[in-house]
Amino acid sequence: MANRGSRIVLPAGVKPSGIWTPAQRFALLASRIWAWLFLALMVLFFVVTVPLASGGAVHFLTIRNSQNILVAIVPVLLLALGQTFVIIGAGIDLSVGWVMSLASVLSALALRWAFDGGVPLFPSVLVGLIAGVGGAAAVGFINGVIIAKLKVPAFIVTLGTSFIVRGVAYLMSENTTVIGLPTGIRAYGNDALLYYIWGEGGGFYFLQRPDVSGDLLRRMDTILPYPVIVTACVVACAVFLLRKTQFGRHTYAIGGSMQAALRTGIPVDRHIIKLYILSASTAGIAGFLSTLRFTAGSAVIGDPLLLSSIAAVIIGGVSLFGGAGTVIGTVIGALIIAVLTTGLVMLNVEAFFQFIVVGTVVIIAVLIDQSRDLIAGRHRRSAET
């Protein structure tokens, strides 16, 4: 190695340490955008194959199907949003599925009690919202306190809480669906911002469901149902909270190194409690919206959604080791699961094959996440030598 003035000249073929090679750059870029590429390729695949499988009778990329996909991801995405913050903070919350169920039961009972007591419909809906989300947040607070103050592993705490919450939900619902709610709440859970009737005699309708039947009803598509709009607002708040606030920076710091976060003065215990309250609260919103959609409270509505929500987080690129991930990545992960399952159903693929495919995608996502960490680690060690 020669020193010409202030410039260091390396021998031919020798690269300075800490410099990214083209192969490393490509591998790192691919690991970051693979979910977007996979989603685009998957949509293209179903756009081509679904009409072929149905003889042209069914198409994948339609307004109705796209809105069905958005409605399908609402509960999974809401569970995954809170889970995103927890996992970035190097935790895990296994109770969100049953917290959603408890919130559904609580909101239904509170809404029915308020309406039967003479409270008008909209204030009764607000009472149900407060009861559902408030009860869910209380569970999150208990989780956070035990994890942060008693130093019990999050896996054990939230697993135990899930069983407790499950029992409470069954007791409060008397092991049956909570019914007898005012039929008017169905509009809050199923109506939409826009309606479109295609073909002759149709058009767009804004904030008003057209009173049609027969052929016109079959040709009517709903665009942006209210639960989708609510979920979009929650996503926007989550993006802002994680990217633009001190809360988000502290979450990344704790997930990266809890000891380093403590030394920098971050109130780690208090922040962990807030993370689990946030996770339970988004699950509470999901439970409340399910009550509005189905006009009933169910003690089992969230049971099958826990693993899907964790899968959405992992597919979206959130590191299981904490300290890395984005809300937008989680949204893409939820979309991948919804598009995948919807497309396979339209291709008449058996349900057990759907589980196999989703599980395979999760494993691939974890391998890609580990490869990204491996590449970054090698580069960091190269820069230090």
Side-chain angles (χ1 to χ4, degrees), residues 238-252:
V239 170
F240 177 80
L241 190 63
L242 190 59
R243 295 182 58 183
K244 300 295 184 181
T245 67
Q246 187 182 66
F247 184 89
R249 291 190 292 272
H250 286 179
T251 302
Y252 282 114

Side-chain angles (χ1 to χ4, degrees), residues 160-177:
T161 304
S162 68
F163 284 102
I164 296 172
V165 171
R166 179 181 185 176
V168 172
Y170 279 133
L171 286 172
M172 298 196 70
S173 64
E174 298 180 350
N175 199 23
T176 187
T177 302

Side-chain angles (χ1 to χ4, degrees), residues 52-85:
L52 291 177
S54 63
V58 180
H59 295 274
F60 183 78
L61 205 59
T62 63
I63 293 177
R64 180 169 300 178
N65 197 43
S66 65
Q67 297 306 302
N68 289 338
I69 290 173
L70 291 179
V71 171
I73 71 169
V74 163
V76 173
L77 181 54
L78 285 171
L79 296 185
L81 284 176
Q83 194 81 260
T84 298
F85 282 82

Side-chain angles (χ1 to χ4, degrees), residues 253-341:
I254 292 171
S257 173
M258 187 176 297
Q259 295 303 318
L262 281 169
R263 286 194 294 268
T264 58
I266 296 175
V268 172
D269 288 354
R270 188 190 313 164
H271 193 85
I272 289 175
I273 294 172
K274 291 178 182 178
L275 288 177
Y276 283 93
I277 292 175
L278 175 62
S279 177
S281 296
T282 58
I285 296 173
F288 169 72
L289 291 178
S290 73
T291 297
L292 296 184
R293 182 183 177 190
F294 299 109
T295 324
S298 171
V300 297
I301 191 69
D303 180 24
L305 302 179
L306 168 64
L307 296 182
S308 295
S309 68
I310 296 176
V313 175
I314 296 171
I315 294 171
V318 177
S319 174
L320 286 172
F321 302 103
T326 64
V327 170
I328 298 301
T330 297
V331 174
I332 297 300
L335 277 172
I336 286 175
I337 293 175
V339 169
L340 189 58
T341 53

Side-chain angles (χ1 to χ4, degrees), residues 157-210:
V157 174
T158 56
L159 180 63
T161 304
S162 68
F163 284 102
I164 296 172
V165 171
R166 179 181 185 176
V168 172
Y170 279 133
L171 286 172
M172 298 196 70
S173 64
E174 298 180 350
N175 199 23
T176 187
T177 302
V178 180
I179 58 175
L181 278 63
T183 56
I185 68 169
R186 186 173 179 82
Y188 293 102
N190 293 274
D191 282 0
L193 189 68
L194 285 170
Y195 296 90
Y196 175 63
I197 301 177
W198 50 273
E200 184 180 356
F204 284 97
Y205 297 83
F206 180 69
L207 286 177
Q208 183 178 2
R209 187 182 186 93

Side-chain angles (χ1 to χ4, degrees), residues 28-244:
L28 193 63
L29 177 63
S31 69
R32 288 175 175 172
I33 66 172
W34 82 273
W36 296 84
L37 293 176
F38 183 74
L39 178 62
L41 291 174
M42 191 168 53
V43 170
L44 180 61
F45 172 77
F46 288 129
V47 166
V48 174
T49 57
V50 168
L52 291 177
S54 63
V58 180
H59 295 274
F60 183 78
L61 205 59
T62 63
I63 293 177
R64 180 169 300 178
N65 197 43
S66 65
Q67 297 306 302
N68 289 338
I69 290 173
L70 291 179
V71 171
I73 71 169
V74 163
V76 173
L77 181 54
L78 285 171
L79 296 185
L81 284 176
Q83 194 81 260
T84 298
F85 282 82
V86 170
I87 294 179
I88 290 176
I92 190 72
D93 190 350
L94 300 180
S95 66
V96 288
W98 287 106
V99 169
M100 175 185 170
S101 300
L102 177 64
S104 176
V105 171
L106 287 174
S107 60
L109 291 173
L111 199 159
R112 187 177 65 183
W113 170 79
F115 189 78
D116 290 346
V119 179
L121 182 61
F122 183 70
S124 296
V125 171
L126 294 180
V127 171
L129 172 63
I130 294 171
V133 178
V139 176
F141 175 78
I142 294 171
N143 281 337
V145 168
I146 297 174
I147 293 167
K149 299 297 185 181
L150 302 182
K151 309 303 178 185
V152 181
F155 183 92
I156 301 300
V157 174
T158 56
L159 180 63
T161 304
S162 68
F163 284 102
I164 296 172
V165 171
R166 179 181 185 176
V168 172
Y170 279 133
L171 286 172
M172 298 196 70
S173 64
E174 298 180 350
N175 199 23
T176 187
T177 302
V178 180
I179 58 175
L181 278 63
T183 56
I185 68 169
R186 186 173 179 82
Y188 293 102
N190 293 274
D191 282 0
L193 189 68
L194 285 170
Y195 296 90
Y196 175 63
I197 301 177
W198 50 273
E200 184 180 356
F204 284 97
Y205 297 83
F206 180 69
L207 286 177
Q208 183 178 2
R209 187 182 186 93
D211 186 13
V212 294
S213 59
D215 182 59
L216 287 177
L217 181 61
R218 286 189 292 271
R219 291 192 279 117
M220 184 178 73
D221 292 324
T222 60
I223 303 175
L224 296 178
Y226 293 144
V228 173
I229 295 175
V230 172
T231 304
C233 292
V234 177
V235 168
C237 293
V239 170
F240 177 80
L241 190 63
L242 190 59
R243 295 182 58 183
K244 300 295 184 181

